[in-house]
Amino acid sequence: QKEVEQDPGPLSVPEGAIVSLNCTYSNSAFQYFMWYRQYSRKGPELLMYTYSSGNKEDGRFTAQVDKSSKYISLFIRDSQPSDSATYLCAMRGYGQNFVFGPGTRLSVLP
Amino acid sequence: DAGVIQSPRHEVTEMGQEVTLRCKPISGHDYLFWYRQTMMRGLELLIYFNNNVPIDDSGMPEDRFSAKMPNASFSTLKIQPSEPRDSAVYFCASTKRELVSYNEQFFGPGTRLTVL
């Protein structure tokens, strides 16, 4: 079993839809949880970061962490074609060993 | 302000040849990371440095891989000898404490390596 699991997709939704992206993990030492977005042929860029269990909202994006279930989610409201990208969850403990999920490829169709 | 700079952007080489990938982190960042990304294995951390010192190289696949950071503005990842299974996109990333407690890494554009 991989440390971080993520549905690889691809996921296709119409413009304006609500998108739910999810990751599960097995290492209870993970303390920091991130979502990175990667456009085609580019490096990943940080979208959101959370530390504790609960929800964090930033514009159209909401990150949710449930440490008891070892489950994190990213919700995108009113999805736009510009949101089409691969979304990578990432997590780490107190060190700098980032572990990335395999990524979910999202296409938002106009 | 320039981002993370990587060179070359593309590299095609033959099996058995030495490959050197280069990275210039963002000025002022004290952590530097090397990653490899493939369709099969996703984005994998190979090694990271703090203040030019290698901290964890447990992700380096085997002795054919080596990395150095001779100063704060330059790092290399070397593969010798290269093999077809090394074909991947190699990313360099850097960060500092002020970037949401190190959680925001800035990635370079990547080097797409093809070993024939």
Side-chain angles (χ1 to χ4, degrees), chain B residues 89-106:
Chain B
V89 180
Y90 290 80
F91 287 103
C92 176
S94 68
T95 189
K96 61 180 179 180
R97 179 182 293 276
E98 289 80 6
L99 296 173
V100 287
S101 299
Y102 295 116
N103 287 305
E104 181 169 19
Q105 295 189 4
F106 282 85

Side-chain angles (χ1 to χ4, degrees), chain A residues 2 4 12-13 21 34 57 68 80 88 101:
Chain A
K2 291 185 178 179
V4 180
S12 291
V13 301
L21 305 168
M34 285 72 69
E57 191 172 316
S68 62
Q80 302 296 309
L88 305 163

Side-chain angles (χ1 to χ4, degrees), chain A residues 26-46:
Chain A
S26 57
N27 190 343
S28 57
F30 289 143
Q31 299 294 326
Y32 299 91
F33 304 91
M34 285 72 69
W35 286 95
Y36 278 75
R37 178 175 61 193
Q38 185 175 22
Y39 290 112
S40 180
R41 297 187 174 268
K42 301 285 187 183
E45 55 183 2
L46 181 69

Side-chain angles (χ1 to χ4, degrees), chain A residues 42-62:
Chain A
K42 301 285 187 183
E45 55 183 2
L46 181 69
L47 196 57
M48 293 196 72
Y49 141 76
T50 55
Y51 172 68
S52 57
S53 285
N55 293 352
K56 183 176 182 180
E57 191 172 316
D58 184 1
R60 297 185 295 110
F61 300 90
T62 299

